[in-house]
Coordinates of all heavy atoms in Angstrom, one line a residue:
M1 N 48.5 81.9 -18.4 CA 49.1 83.0 -17.7 C 49.3 82.8 -16.2 O 48.3 82.1 -15.7 CB 48.2 84.3 -17.9 CG 49.0 85.6 -17.6 SD 47.9 87.0 -17.9 CE 47.9 87.6 -16.2
A2 N 50.4 83.2 -15.7 CA 50.6 82.8 -14.2 C 49.8 83.6 -13.4 O 49.4 84.8 -13.7 CB 52.1 83.1 -13.9
V3 N 49.2 83.1 -12.3 CA 48.4 83.8 -11.3 C 49.0 83.8 -10.1 O 49.5 82.7 -9.6 CB 46.9 83.2 -11.3 CG1 46.1 83.8 -10.4 CG2 46.4 83.0 -12.7
P4 N 49.0 84.9 -9.3 CA 49.6 85.0 -8.0 C 48.9 84.0 -7.1 O 47.7 83.7 -7.1 CB 49.3 86.4 -7.4 CG 49.1 87.2 -8.7 CD 48.5 86.3 -9.8
R5 N 49.7 83.3 -6.2 CA 49.3 82.4 -5.3 C 48.1 82.7 -4.4 O 47.1 82.0 -4.3 CB 50.4 81.8 -4.4 CG 50.2 80.7 -3.5 CD 50.2 79.4 -4.2 NE 49.8 78.3 -3.4 CZ 49.1 77.3 -3.8 NH1 48.9 77.1 -5.1 NH2 48.8 76.2 -3.0
H6 N 48.2 83.9 -3.9 CA 47.2 84.4 -2.9 C 45.7 84.6 -3.6 O 44.7 84.7 -2.9 CB 47.6 85.6 -2.2 CG 47.8 86.8 -3.0 ND1 49.0 87.1 -3.7 CD2 47.0 87.7 -3.4 CE1 48.9 88.2 -4.3 NE2 47.7 88.7 -4.2
S7 N 45.7 84.8 -5.0 CA 44.5 85.2 -5.6 C 43.9 83.9 -6.2 O 43.0 84.0 -7.0 CB 44.7 86.2 -6.6 OG 45.6 85.8 -7.6
H8 N 44.4 82.8 -5.8 CA 43.8 81.4 -6.3 C 43.1 80.8 -5.2 O 43.6 80.3 -4.3 CB 45.2 80.6 -6.6 CG 45.0 79.8 -7.9 ND1 45.9 79.0 -8.3 CD2 44.0 79.7 -8.8 CE1 45.6 78.5 -9.5 NE2 44.4 78.9 -9.8
T9 N 41.8 80.9 -5.4 CA 40.9 80.4 -4.3 C 40.9 78.8 -4.4 O 41.2 78.3 -5.3 CB 39.5 80.9 -4.4 OG1 39.0 80.5 -5.6 CG2 39.4 82.5 -4.3
R10 N 40.3 78.3 -3.3 CA 40.2 76.8 -3.0 C 39.2 76.3 -4.2 O 39.5 75.2 -4.8 CB 39.8 76.5 -1.8 CG 40.8 76.4 -0.8 CD 40.2 76.3 0.6 NE 41.2 76.5 1.6 CZ 41.8 75.4 2.3 NH1 41.5 74.2 2.1 NH2 42.8 75.7 3.2
S11 N 38.2 77.0 -4.4 CA 37.2 76.7 -5.4 C 37.9 76.7 -6.9 O 37.6 75.8 -7.7 CB 36.1 77.7 -5.4 OG 35.8 78.3 -6.4
K12 N 38.7 77.8 -7.0 CA 39.4 77.8 -8.4 C 40.3 76.6 -8.6 O 40.3 76.0 -9.8 CB 40.0 79.1 -8.5 CG 40.9 79.4 -9.8 CD 39.8 79.7 -10.9 CE 40.5 79.8 -12.2 NZ 39.6 80.1 -13.4
V13 N 41.0 76.3 -7.5 CA 41.9 75.1 -7.6 C 41.2 73.8 -8.0 O 41.5 73.1 -8.8 CB 42.7 74.9 -6.4 CG1 43.5 73.7 -6.3 CG2 43.7 76.1 -6.2
G14 N 40.0 73.7 -7.2 CA 39.1 72.5 -7.3 C 38.6 72.4 -8.7 O 38.6 71.3 -9.3
K15 N 38.2 73.6 -9.3 CA 37.7 73.5 -10.7 C 38.7 73.1 -11.7 O 38.5 72.4 -12.6 CB 37.2 74.9 -11.0 CG 35.8 75.2 -10.4 CD 35.5 76.7 -10.7 CE 34.2 77.0 -9.9 NZ 34.0 78.5 -9.9
T16 N 40.0 73.7 -11.5 CA 41.1 73.3 -12.4 C 41.3 71.8 -12.3 O 41.5 71.1 -13.4 CB 42.4 74.1 -12.0 OG1 42.0 75.5 -12.0 CG2 43.5 73.9 -13.0
R17 N 41.4 71.2 -11.1 CA 41.7 69.8 -10.9 C 40.7 69.0 -11.5 O 40.9 67.8 -12.0 CB 41.9 69.5 -9.4 CG 43.2 70.1 -8.9 CD 43.5 69.6 -7.5 NE 44.8 70.3 -7.1 CZ 45.1 70.4 -5.9 NH1 44.3 70.0 -4.9 NH2 46.2 70.8 -5.5
M18 N 39.4 69.4 -11.3 CA 38.2 68.6 -11.9 C 38.3 68.6 -13.4 O 38.2 67.5 -14.0 CB 37.0 69.4 -11.6 CG 35.7 68.7 -12.0 SD 35.6 67.2 -11.0 CE 34.3 66.4 -11.9
H19 N 38.8 69.7 -14.1 CA 39.0 69.7 -15.5 C 40.1 68.8 -15.9 O 40.0 68.1 -16.9 CB 39.3 71.1 -16.0 CG 39.6 71.3 -17.5 ND1 38.4 71.0 -18.3 CD2 40.6 71.6 -18.1 CE1 39.0 71.2 -19.5 NE2 40.2 71.5 -19.4
K20 N 41.2 68.8 -15.0 CA 42.4 67.9 -15.5 C 42.2 66.5 -15.0 O 43.2 65.7 -15.3 CB 43.7 68.6 -14.9 CG 44.1 69.8 -15.6 CD 45.3 70.4 -15.0 CE 45.8 71.8 -15.8 NZ 46.8 72.3 -15.1
H21 N 41.2 66.2 -14.2 CA 40.9 64.9 -13.6 C 42.1 64.5 -12.7 O 42.5 63.4 -12.8 CB 40.7 63.8 -14.7 CG 39.5 64.2 -15.6 ND1 38.3 64.0 -15.2 CD2 39.4 64.7 -16.8 CE1 37.4 64.4 -16.1 NE2 38.1 64.8 -17.1
I22 N 42.7 65.4 -12.0 CA 43.8 65.1 -11.1 C 43.1 64.7 -9.6 O 42.2 65.4 -9.2 CB 44.7 66.2 -10.8 CG1 45.3 66.7 -12.2 CG2 45.8 66.0 -9.8 CD1 46.1 68.0 -12.2
K23 N 43.6 63.5 -9.1 CA 43.0 63.1 -7.8 C 44.2 63.1 -6.9 O 45.3 62.9 -7.2 CB 42.5 61.6 -8.0 CG 41.2 61.6 -8.6 CD 40.6 60.1 -8.6 CE 39.3 60.2 -9.3 NZ 38.9 58.8 -9.5
R24 N 43.8 63.4 -5.6 CA 44.9 63.4 -4.5 C 45.2 61.9 -4.4 O 44.3 61.0 -4.3 CB 44.1 64.0 -3.4 CG 45.2 64.3 -2.2 CD 44.6 64.7 -1.0 NE 43.9 66.1 -1.2 CZ 43.1 66.6 -0.3 NH1 42.8 66.1 0.8 NH2 42.7 67.8 -0.5
V25 N 46.5 61.8 -4.2 CA 47.1 60.4 -4.0 C 47.0 60.0 -2.5 O 47.4 60.7 -1.7 CB 48.6 60.4 -4.4 CG1 49.1 59.0 -4.2 CG2 48.8 60.8 -5.8
L26 N 46.3 58.9 -2.3 CA 46.1 58.5 -0.9 C 47.3 57.4 -0.6 O 47.5 56.4 -1.3 CB 44.8 57.8 -0.7 CG 43.6 58.6 -0.9 CD1 42.3 57.9 -0.9 CD2 43.5 59.7 0.2
L27 N 48.0 57.7 0.4 CA 49.1 56.8 0.8 C 48.8 55.9 2.0 O 48.1 56.5 3.0 CB 50.4 57.6 1.1 CG 50.9 58.4 -0.2 CD1 52.0 59.3 0.3 CD2 51.4 57.4 -1.2
N28 N 49.3 54.8 2.0 CA 49.2 54.0 3.3 C 50.5 54.0 3.9 O 51.5 54.4 3.5 CB 48.8 52.5 2.9 CG 47.3 52.4 2.4 OD1 46.6 53.5 2.6 ND2 47.0 51.3 1.8
V29 N 50.6 53.3 5.1 CA 51.8 53.3 5.8 C 52.3 51.9 5.8 O 51.5 50.9 6.1 CB 51.7 53.7 7.3 CG1 53.0 53.6 8.1 CG2 51.3 55.1 7.3
C30 N 53.7 51.5 5.4 CA 54.1 50.3 5.4 C 54.2 49.6 6.9 O 54.7 50.3 7.7 CB 55.6 50.3 4.9 SG 56.4 48.7 4.9
P31 N 53.6 48.5 7.0 CA 53.5 48.0 8.4 C 54.9 47.5 8.9 O 55.1 47.4 10.1 CB 52.7 46.6 8.3 CG 52.6 46.3 6.8 CD 52.9 47.6 6.0
K32 N 55.9 47.4 8.1 CA 57.2 46.8 8.5 C 58.2 48.1 8.8 O 58.6 48.1 9.9 CB 57.9 46.1 7.4 CG 59.1 45.4 7.9 CD 59.6 44.3 7.1 CE 61.0 43.9 7.3 NZ 61.1 43.3 8.7
C33 N 58.3 49.0 7.8 CA 59.1 50.2 8.1 C 58.5 51.4 8.3 O 59.2 52.5 8.6 CB 60.1 50.3 6.9 SG 59.3 50.8 5.3
K34 N 57.2 51.6 8.3 CA 56.5 52.8 8.7 C 56.5 53.8 7.7 O 56.5 55.0 8.0 CB 56.8 53.2 10.1 CG 56.6 52.3 11.1 CD 55.2 51.8 11.3 CE 55.1 50.6 12.4 NZ 53.8 50.0 12.3
K35 N 57.0 53.5 6.5 CA 57.2 54.6 5.4 C 55.8 54.8 4.6 O 55.1 53.7 4.4 CB 58.3 54.3 4.5 CG 59.7 54.3 5.2 CD 60.4 55.6 4.7 CE 61.7 55.6 5.6 NZ 62.7 56.5 5.1
P36 N 55.6 55.9 4.1 CA 54.3 56.0 3.3 C 54.5 55.4 2.0 O 55.6 55.5 1.2 CB 54.1 57.6 3.0 CG 55.5 58.1 3.3 CD 56.3 57.2 4.3
I37 N 53.6 54.4 1.6 CA 53.6 53.6 0.3 C 52.2 53.7 -0.3 O 51.2 54.0 0.3 CB 53.9 52.2 0.6 CG1 53.1 51.5 1.5 CG2 55.4 52.1 0.9 CD1 53.1 50.1 1.6
L38 N 52.2 53.5 -1.7 CA 51.0 53.4 -2.4 C 50.3 52.0 -2.0 O 51.0 51.1 -1.8 CB 51.2 53.4 -3.9 CG 51.5 54.8 -4.5 CD1 52.0 54.5 -6.0 CD2 50.3 55.6 -4.6
S39 N 48.9 52.0 -2.0 CA 48.3 50.7 -1.7 C 48.5 49.7 -2.8 O 48.6 50.1 -4.0 CB 46.9 51.0 -1.4 OG 46.2 51.5 -2.5
H40 N 48.5 48.4 -2.5 CA 48.6 47.4 -3.4 C 50.0 47.4 -4.1 O 50.0 46.9 -5.3 CB 47.6 47.2 -4.3 CG 46.2 47.1 -3.6 ND1 45.8 46.0 -2.9 CD2 45.2 48.1 -3.4 CE1 44.5 46.3 -2.5 NE2 44.2 47.5 -2.7
T41 N 51.1 47.9 -3.5 CA 52.3 47.9 -4.2 C 53.4 47.4 -3.1 O 53.2 47.6 -1.9 CB 52.8 49.3 -4.6 OG1 52.6 50.2 -3.5 CG2 51.9 49.8 -5.8
V42 N 54.5 46.9 -3.8 CA 55.6 46.5 -2.9 C 56.3 47.8 -2.2 O 56.5 48.8 -3.0 CB 56.5 45.6 -3.6 CG1 57.8 45.3 -2.8 CG2 55.9 44.4 -4.2
C43 N 56.6 47.7 -1.1 CA 57.4 48.7 -0.4 C 58.7 48.9 -1.0 O 59.6 48.0 -0.9 CB 57.4 48.7 1.1 SG 58.3 50.0 2.0
K44 N 59.1 50.1 -1.5 CA 60.5 50.2 -2.1 C 61.5 50.3 -1.2 O 62.7 50.1 -1.4 CB 60.4 51.4 -3.1 CG 59.7 51.1 -4.4 CD 59.7 52.2 -5.4 CE 58.9 51.9 -6.6 NZ 58.7 53.0 -7.4
N45 N 61.1 50.8 0.1 CA 62.2 50.9 1.2 C 62.7 49.6 1.7 O 63.9 49.3 1.9 CB 61.6 51.8 2.3 CG 62.7 52.1 3.2 OD1 63.7 52.5 2.9 ND2 62.3 52.0 4.6
C46 N 61.7 48.7 2.1 CA 62.1 47.5 2.7 C 61.8 46.2 1.8 O 62.3 45.1 2.0 CB 61.4 47.2 4.0 SG 59.5 47.1 3.8
G47 N 61.0 46.4 0.7 CA 60.8 45.2 -0.2 C 59.8 44.3 0.2 O 59.8 43.2 -0.3
Y48 N 58.9 44.6 1.2 CA 57.9 43.7 1.7 C 56.5 44.0 1.1 O 56.3 45.2 0.9 CB 57.9 43.8 3.2 CG 58.8 42.8 3.9 CD1 60.2 43.1 3.9 CD2 58.5 41.7 4.6 CE1 61.1 42.2 4.5 CE2 59.3 40.8 5.2 CZ 60.6 41.1 5.2 OH 61.5 40.2 5.8
Y49 N 55.8 43.0 0.9 CA 54.4 43.1 0.6 C 53.6 42.0 1.3 O 53.9 40.8 1.1 CB 54.2 43.1 -0.9 CG 52.8 43.2 -1.4 CD1 52.1 44.5 -1.3 CD2 52.1 42.2 -1.9 CE1 50.8 44.6 -1.7 CE2 50.8 42.3 -2.4 CZ 50.2 43.5 -2.3 OH 48.8 43.7 -2.7
K50 N 52.6 42.3 2.0 CA 51.6 41.5 2.7 C 52.4 40.5 3.6 O 52.3 39.3 3.7 CB 50.8 40.6 1.8 CG 49.6 41.4 1.2 CD 48.7 40.4 0.4 CE 47.5 41.1 0.0 NZ 46.6 40.2 -0.8
G51 N 53.4 41.1 4.2 CA 54.3 40.4 5.3 C 55.3 39.4 4.7 O 56.0 38.8 5.5
A52 N 55.5 39.4 3.4 CA 56.5 38.5 2.7 C 57.6 39.4 2.1 O 57.1 40.4 1.4 CB 56.0 37.5 1.8
Q53 N 58.7 39.1 2.0 CA 59.7 39.8 1.3 C 59.7 39.4 -0.1 O 59.9 38.4 -0.6 CB 61.2 39.5 1.8 CG 62.2 40.4 1.3 CD 63.6 40.4 1.9 OE1 63.9 39.4 2.5 NE2 64.5 41.3 1.8
I54 N 59.5 40.5 -1.0 CA 59.3 40.3 -2.4 C 60.6 40.7 -3.2 O 61.1 40.1 -4.0 CB 58.1 41.1 -3.0 CG1 56.8 40.9 -2.2 CG2 58.0 40.8 -4.4 CD1 56.3 39.4 -2.3
I55 N 61.2 41.8 -2.9 CA 62.4 42.4 -3.4 C 63.6 42.3 -2.3 O 63.3 42.7 -1.1 CB 62.2 43.8 -3.9 CG1 61.0 43.8 -4.9 CG2 63.4 44.3 -4.5 CD1 60.6 45.2 -5.1
D56 N 64.7 41.8 -2.8 CA 65.9 41.9 -1.8 C 66.5 43.4 -2.0 O 67.3 43.6 -2.9 CB 66.9 40.9 -2.1 CG 67.9 40.8 -1.0 OD1 67.8 41.4 0.0 OD2 68.9 40.1 -1.3
V57 N 66.1 44.4 -1.1 CA 66.6 45.7 -1.2 C 68.1 45.8 -0.9 O 68.7 46.7 -1.6 CB 65.8 46.5 -0.2 CG1 66.2 48.0 -0.3 CG2 64.3 46.4 -0.4
L58 N 68.6 45.0 0.0 CA 70.0 45.1 0.4 C 70.9 44.6 -0.6 O 72.2 44.8 -0.5 CB 70.2 44.4 1.7 CG 69.3 44.8 2.9 CD1 69.6 44.0 4.0 CD2 69.6 46.3 3.1
S59 N 70.5 43.9 -1.7 CA 71.5 43.2 -2.6 C 72.2 44.1 -3.5 O 73.4 43.9 -3.8 CB 70.7 42.2 -3.5 OG 69.9 42.8 -4.2
D60 N 71.7 45.3 -3.9 CA 72.4 46.2 -4.7 C 73.2 47.3 -4.0 O 73.8 48.2 -4.6 CB 71.3 46.8 -5.7 CG 70.8 45.8 -6.7 OD1 71.5 44.8 -6.9 OD2 69.7 46.1 -7.1
L61 N 73.1 47.3 -2.6 CA 73.8 48.4 -1.9 C 75.2 48.1 -1.6 O 75.7 46.8 -1.5 CB 72.9 48.6 -0.6 CG 71.4 48.9 -0.7 CD1 70.9 49.1 0.6 CD2 71.3 50.3 -1.4
T62 N 75.9 49.0 -1.3 CA 77.3 48.9 -0.8 C 77.3 48.5 0.7 O 76.3 48.5 1.4 CB 78.2 50.2 -1.0 OG1 77.6 51.1 -0.1 CG2 78.2 50.6 -2.4
K63 N 78.5 48.1 1.1 CA 78.6 47.6 2.6 C 78.1 48.6 3.6 O 77.3 48.3 4.4 CB 80.0 47.1 2.8 CG 80.2 46.2 4.0 CD 81.6 45.7 4.1 CE 81.8 44.6 5.1 NZ 83.1 44.2 5.2
K64 N 78.5 49.9 3.3 CA 78.2 50.9 4.3 C 76.7 51.3 4.2 O 76.1 51.5 5.2 CB 79.0 52.2 3.7 CG 79.1 53.2 4.8 CD 80.1 54.3 4.4 CE 80.3 55.5 5.4 NZ 81.1 56.5 5.0
E65 N 76.1 51.3 2.9 CA 74.7 51.6 2.8 C 73.8 50.5 3.5 O 72.8 50.7 4.1 CB 74.4 51.7 1.3 CG 74.8 52.9 0.6 CD 74.7 52.9 -0.8 OE1 74.6 51.9 -1.4 OE2 74.5 54.1 -1.3
K66 N 74.3 49.2 3.4 CA 73.7 48.1 3.9 C 73.5 48.3 5.5 O 72.5 48.0 6.1 CB 74.4 46.8 3.7 CG 74.0 46.1 2.4 CD 74.6 44.8 2.2 CE 74.4 44.1 0.9 NZ 75.2 42.9 0.7
K67 N 74.7 48.6 6.2 CA 74.7 48.8 7.5 C 73.7 49.9 7.9 O 73.0 49.6 8.9 CB 76.1 49.3 7.9 CG 76.9 48.2 8.7 CD 78.1 48.9 9.3 CE 78.9 47.9 10.1 NZ 80.2 48.4 10.5
I68 N 73.6 51.0 7.2 CA 72.6 52.1 7.6 C 71.3 51.6 7.4 O 70.4 51.8 8.3 CB 72.9 53.3 6.6 CG1 74.4 53.9 6.9 CG2 71.9 54.3 6.8 CD1 74.8 54.8 5.8
K69 N 70.9 50.9 6.3 CA 69.6 50.4 6.1 C 69.2 49.4 7.1 O 68.0 49.4 7.7 CB 69.6 49.7 4.7 CG 68.3 49.7 4.1 CD 67.9 50.9 3.2 CE 66.7 50.6 2.3 NZ 66.4 51.9 1.6
E70 N 70.1 48.4 7.5 CA 69.8 47.4 8.5 C 69.5 48.1 9.9 O 68.6 47.7 10.6 CB 70.9 46.4 8.6 CG 70.9 45.4 7.5 CD 72.1 44.6 7.5 OE1 73.1 44.7 8.2 OE2 72.1 43.7 6.6
K71 N 70.2 49.1 10.2 CA 70.0 49.9 11.4 C 68.7 50.5 11.3 O 67.9 50.4 12.5 CB 71.1 50.9 11.5 CG 71.4 51.4 13.0 CD 72.6 52.2 13.0 CE 73.0 52.8 14.3 NZ 74.2 53.6 14.4
E72 N 68.3 51.0 10.3 CA 67.1 51.7 10.2 C 65.9 50.7 10.3 O 64.9 50.9 11.0 CB 66.9 52.3 8.7 CG 66.0 53.4 8.5 CD 66.2 54.0 7.0 OE1 65.5 53.5 6.2 OE2 67.0 54.9 6.8
F73 N 65.9 49.6 9.7 CA 65.0 48.6 9.9 C 64.9 48.0 11.3 O 63.8 47.9 11.8 CB 65.3 47.2 9.1 CG 65.2 47.4 7.6 CD1 65.9 46.7 6.7 CD2 64.4 48.5 7.1 CE1 65.8 46.9 5.3 CE2 64.2 48.6 5.8 CZ 64.9 47.9 4.8
K74 N 65.9 48.0 12.0 CA 66.0 47.4 13.5 C 65.2 48.5 14.2 O 64.3 48.2 15.2 CB 67.4 47.3 14.0 CG 67.9 46.0 13.8 CD 69.3 45.7 14.5 CE 69.8 44.5 14.1 NZ 71.2 44.3 14.6
Q75 N 65.5 49.8 14.0 CA 64.9 50.9 14.8 C 63.4 50.9 14.5 O 62.5 51.0 15.4 CB 65.5 52.2 14.3 CG 65.4 53.3 15.3 CD 66.2 54.6 14.8 OE1 66.4 54.7 13.7 NE2 66.7 55.2 15.9
A76 N 63.0 50.7 13.2 CA 61.5 50.7 12.9 C 60.8 49.5 13.6 O 59.7 49.6 14.1 CB 61.3 50.6 11.3
E77 N 61.4 48.2 13.7 CA 60.9 47.1 14.3 C 60.7 47.4 15.8 O 59.8 47.0 16.4 CB 61.8 45.9 14.1 CG 61.5 45.1 12.8 CD 62.5 44.0 12.6 OE1 62.9 43.3 13.6 OE2 62.7 43.7 11.5
Q78 N 61.8 48.1 16.4 CA 61.6 48.3 17.9 C 60.4 49.3 18.1 O 59.7 49.0 19.0 CB 62.9 49.0 18.3 CG 63.9 48.0 18.6 CD 65.3 48.7 19.2 OE1 65.4 49.9 19.2 NE2 66.2 47.9 19.7
E79 N 60.3 50.3 17.3 CA 59.2 51.2 17.4 C 57.9 50.5 17.3 O 56.9 50.7 18.0 CB 59.3 52.3 16.4 CG 60.4 53.4 16.8 CD 60.6 54.4 15.7 OE1 59.7 54.6 14.8 OE2 61.6 55.1 15.8
A80 N 57.8 49.5 16.2 CA 56.5 48.8 16.1 C 56.2 48.0 17.3 O 55.0 47.9 17.7 CB 56.8 48.0 14.8
S81 N 57.3 47.4 17.9 CA 57.0 46.5 19.0 C 56.5 47.3 20.2 O 55.7 46.8 21.1 CB 58.1 45.6 19.4 OG 59.2 46.4 19.7
Q82 N 56.9 48.5 20.3 CA 56.6 49.4 21.4 C 55.2 49.8 21.2 O 54.5 50.0 22.2 CB 57.5 50.6 21.7 CG 58.7 50.1 22.2 CD 59.9 51.3 22.1 OE1 59.5 52.2 21.6 NE2 61.1 51.0 22.6
D83 N 54.8 50.2 20.0 CA 53.5 50.8 19.8 C 52.4 49.7 19.8 O 51.2 50.0 20.0 CB 53.5 51.5 18.5 CG 54.4 52.8 18.4 OD1 54.7 53.0 19.5 OD2 54.7 53.1 17.3
R84 N 52.7 48.4 19.6 CA 51.8 47.3 19.4 C 50.9 47.2 20.7 O 51.5 47.2 21.9 CB 52.6 46.0 19.1 CG 51.7 44.9 18.9 CD 52.6 43.7 18.6 NE 53.7 43.5 19.6 CZ 53.5 42.5 20.4 NH1 52.6 41.7 20.6 NH2 54.7 42.4 21.4
P85 N 49.6 47.1 20.6 CA 48.8 47.0 21.8 C 49.0 45.5 22.3 O 49.3 44.6 21.6 CB 47.5 47.2 21.3 CG 47.4 47.0 19.8 CD 48.8 47.3 19.4
L86 N 48.8 45.4 23.7 CA 49.0 43.9 24.2 C 48.0 43.0 23.8 O 46.8 43.4 23.6 CB 49.0 44.2 25.8 CG 50.2 45.0 26.4 CD1 49.9 45.2 27.9 CD2 51.4 44.2 26.1
T87 N 48.3 41.8 23.6 CA 47.3 40.7 23.3 C 46.6 40.3 24.6 O 47.1 40.7 25.7 CB 47.9 39.5 22.6 OG1 49.0 39.0 23.4 CG2 48.7 39.9 21.3
M88 N 45.8 39.5 24.5 CA 44.9 39.0 25.8 C 45.8 38.2 26.6 O 45.7 38.3 27.8 CB 43.6 38.2 25.3 CG 42.6 39.0 24.6 SD 42.1 40.5 25.6 CE 41.1 39.7 26.7
E89 N 46.7 37.3 25.9 CA 47.6 36.6 26.8 C 48.7 37.5 27.6 O 48.9 37.1 28.7 CB 48.5 35.6 25.8 CG 47.6 34.6 25.3 CD 48.4 33.8 24.3 OE1 49.6 33.8 24.2 OE2 47.7 33.0 23.5
E90 N 49.1 38.5 26.8 CA 50.1 39.4 27.5 C 49.4 40.1 28.6 O 50.1 40.3 29.8 CB 50.7 40.3 26.5 CG 51.8 39.6 25.6 CD 52.1 40.6 24.4 OE1 51.4 41.4 24.1 OE2 53.2 40.2 23.9
L91 N 48.1 40.5 28.5 CA 47.4 41.2 29.5 C 47.2 40.4 30.6 O 47.4 40.8 31.8 CB 46.1 41.6 28.9 CG 46.1 42.9 28.2 CD1 44.7 43.2 27.5 CD2 46.4 44.2 29.0
S92 N 47.0 39.1 30.5 CA 46.6 38.2 31.6 C 47.9 37.8 32.4 O 47.9 37.7 33.6 CB 46.0 36.9 31.1 OG 46.9 36.2 30.3
K93 N 49.0 37.9 31.7 CA 50.4 37.6 32.4 C 50.7 38.7 33.3 O 51.3 38.7 34.3 CB 51.5 37.4 31.3 CG 51.5 35.9 30.8 CD 52.6 35.7 29.8 CE 52.5 34.4 29.1 NZ 53.3 34.3 28.0
K94 N 50.4 40.0 32.8 CA 50.9 41.3 33.5 C 50.1 41.3 34.8 O 50.8 41.8 35.8 CB 50.6 42.4 32.5 CG 51.7 42.7 31.6 CD 51.9 44.2 31.4 CE 53.3 44.3 30.7 NZ 53.5 45.8 30.5
S95 N 48.9 41.1 34.8 CA 48.1 41.3 36.1 C 48.1 40.0 37.0 O 48.7 39.1 36.8 CB 46.7 41.6 35.8 OG 46.0 40.6 35.0
Ligands
ZN1 ZN1 58.5 49.0 4.1

């Protein structure tokens, strides 16, 4: 029987999940495109795993879709380079 959302306590939800053995899915962030991915799996957005390209994501796309995707990748790389902390060499050059 359906139960109103507000009368479903956290404890009741937890008990139901325990019975069904449902676990919360933990997601990691893809280091290349910054999208949420499952751990130990190839990123479906960019096709990379452990720094190497496994799947060619752009091969099945149309010309227009490829352009959009490549633009997206460039933007993600730029953001990644900006967020990256400075290495010791770069720090010594700056000062
Ligand atoms: Zn990715």
Side-chain angles (χ1 to χ4, degrees):
M1 196 181 122
V3 179
R5 183 79 184 150
H6 65 271
S7 60
H8 224 175
T9 61
R10 282 169 189 256
S11 123
K12 181 72 183 172
V13 170
K15 282 175 191 168
T16 307
R17 285 185 183 158
M18 184 67 191
H19 178 68
K20 291 180 176 173
H21 302 284
I22 299 171
K23 284 182 183 172
R24 192 183 291 170
V25 178
L26 293 173
L27 296 173
N28 291 346
V29 177
C30 175
K32 189 165 171 62
C33 65
K34 307 293 176 196
K35 294 251 176 170
I37 53 165
L38 282 171
S39 58
H40 305 289
T41 53
V42 177
C43 177
K44 285 180 182 171
N45 185 49
C46 63
Y48 271 71
Y49 180 69
K50 280 189 173 179
Q53 189 171 17
I54 310 295
I55 305 168
D56 189 11
V57 183
L58 301 175
S59 65
D60 294 338
L61 301 176
T62 61
K63 206 172 181 182
K64 199 172 183 182
E65 287 171 333
K66 269 185 194 176
K67 248 187 179 176
I68 294 167
K69 203 91 170 175
E70 281 169 357
K71 204 173 184 182
E72 207 173 88
F73 288 156
K74 273 186 186 176
Q75 208 170 25
E77 275 179 25
Q78 277 183 347
E79 283 174 17
S81 64
Q82 286 170 359
D83 295 343
R84 181 175 55 98
L86 293 171
T87 60
M88 291 308 281
E89 288 172 18
E90 286 170 337
L91 277 173
S92 63
K93 278 178 192 172
K94 276 214 164 182
S95 58

